């Protein structure tokens, strides 16, 4: 199979890597990260290759597994999966992972599924565990750019359950599930990384 390619992953991988370098303790062996919605598997390959001590587990809906496999078959050993996981449907125990990473997924899954995901994170992750959400967010009901407004319109035309999430809704719901916002980091192209820690 030809490897799927998401150009956005190539553009955002370096700035996201900087966030991981800041938060991941490179002396801890191993540091296990579970990725929700790995998509092509590109991010997983890049981050696990760059971060020596990281054991990276990919996941997504079954329909994306062949693509993810085609990427990880060419990668180093510290990458696992893909695990079949769809937030809002399946159950999963994330207690063995020090962190969860998910890029560009909260605006794709419905809000109900987002809330179920936050619950699963809260129920199964341990104290001090980290969660990294990458993507666009709205603040106080406002878009952060005209391009995000266009993108949101496009998403909603594609599926009424999709749409750019509110920063306040995400942080409030994560707080309900035991996570406090450690940092909200600006990324290129009007995206953010929200870093949460389980208290
Ligand atoms: C826009 S893609 C992002 C993929 C990749 N993370 C990236 O940044 O390129 C959204 C991904 O979320 C996955 N997805 C959609 N609904 C999901 C759900 N309820 N639970 C987990 N993943 C979901 C899709 O299958 C898809 O791979």
């Amino acid at each position: 199979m030809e490897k799927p390619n998401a150009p956005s992953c190539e553009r955002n991988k370096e700035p996201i890597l900087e966030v991981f370098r800041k938060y991941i303790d490179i002396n801890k062996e191993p540091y296990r990260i579970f990725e929700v919605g790995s998509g092509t598997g590109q991010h997983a390959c890049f981050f696990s290759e760059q971060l020596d001590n990281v054991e990276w587990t990919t996941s997504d809906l079954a329909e994306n597994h062949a693509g993810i496999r085609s990427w990880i078959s060419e990668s180093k050993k510290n990458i696992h999966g893909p695990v079949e996981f769809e937030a809002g449907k399946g159950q999963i125990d994330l207690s063995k992972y020090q962190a969860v990473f998910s890029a560009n997924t909260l605006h794709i899954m419905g809000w109900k599924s987002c809330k179920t995901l936050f619950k699963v994170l809260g129920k199964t992750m341990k104290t001090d565990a980290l969660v990294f959400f990458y993507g666009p967010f709205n603040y106080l009901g406002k878009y952060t750019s005209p391009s995000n407004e266009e993108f949101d319109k496009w998403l909603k035309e594609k599926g009424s359950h999709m749409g750019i999430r509110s920063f306040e809704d995400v942080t409030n719901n994560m707080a309900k599930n035991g996570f406090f916002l450690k940092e909200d980091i600006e990324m290129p192209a009007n995206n953010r990384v929200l870093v949460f820690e389980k208290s």
Side-chain angles (χ1 to χ4, degrees), residues 132-156:
F132 302 86
F133 286 130
Y134 170 92
F137 294 93
N138 288 339
Y139 291 77
L140 299 171
K142 292 203 167 61
Y143 297 104
T144 58
S145 68
S147 61
N148 276 0
E149 186 169 1
E150 276 297 302
F151 179 53
D152 192 46
K153 204 173 143 216
W154 178 81
L155 283 169
K156 286 174 174 146

Side-chain angles (χ1 to χ4, degrees), residues 2-197:
E2 199 178 316
K3 286 193 305 186
N5 186 40
S8 59
C9 287
E10 294 307 312
R11 292 194 296 270
N12 61 31
K13 65 185 187 183
E14 292 286 352
I16 299 174
L17 178 64
E18 287 315 302
V19 177
F20 285 139
R21 287 205 196 286
K22 176 171 173 186
Y23 278 98
I24 291 171
D25 181 351
I26 54 162
N27 298 314
K28 261 187 208 155
E29 290 282 353
Y31 191 96
R32 287 180 293 271
I33 300 187
F34 184 88
E35 183 180 15
V36 174
S38 299
T40 59
Q42 267 164 284
H43 270 157
C45 289
F46 177 73
F47 296 135
S48 58
E49 278 161 16
Q50 297 293 318
L51 302 160
D52 274 349
N53 65 322
V54 160
E55 291 284 331
W56 193 283
T57 299
T58 56
S59 81
D60 209 305
L61 282 58
E63 65 206 46
N64 287 329
H65 285 196
I68 295 171
R69 276 199 196 97
S70 67
W71 273 87
I72 66 180
S73 64
E74 292 177 12
S75 189
K76 281 186 6 183
K77 278 198 305 210
N78 58 351
I79 180 161
H80 309 282
V83 170
E84 189 170 347
F85 176 62
E86 180 172 359
K89 293 219 171 123
Q91 283 300 316
I92 196 151
D93 179 0
L94 298 167
S95 56
K96 72 173 181 185
Y97 298 98
Q98 280 98 331
V100 162
F101 168 69
S102 199
N104 288 322
T105 53
L106 297 183
H107 57 266
I108 300 293
M109 60 181 85
W111 178 239
K112 212 171 151 199
S113 299
C114 294
K115 287 198 287 188
T116 310
L117 174 63
F118 304 154
K119 264 191 201 143
V120 169
L121 301 175
K123 253 192 192 161
T124 68
M125 292 187 83
K126 294 208 171 108
T127 305
D128 296 336
L130 298 176
V131 174
F132 302 86
F133 286 130
Y134 170 92
F137 294 93
N138 288 339
Y139 291 77
L140 299 171
K142 292 203 167 61
Y143 297 104
T144 58
S145 68
S147 61
N148 276 0
E149 186 169 1
E150 276 297 302
F151 179 53
D152 192 46
K153 204 173 143 216
W154 178 81
L155 283 169
K156 286 174 174 146
E157 278 167 11
K158 260 184 100 181
S160 55
H161 63 289
M162 295 197 238
I164 294 183
R165 304 297 164 209
S166 144
F167 166 82
E168 293 80 15
D169 286 347
V170 171
T171 50
N172 289 339
N173 275 277
M174 284 293 279
K176 271 190 206 160
N177 290 288
F179 291 88
F180 68 93
L181 182 73
K182 262 181 103 72
E183 202 174 357
D184 170 11
I185 306 165
E186 189 176 357
M187 293 277 113
N190 307 300
N191 288 298
R192 321 287 302 182
V193 174
L194 307 185
V195 185
F196 292 93
E197 185 175 313

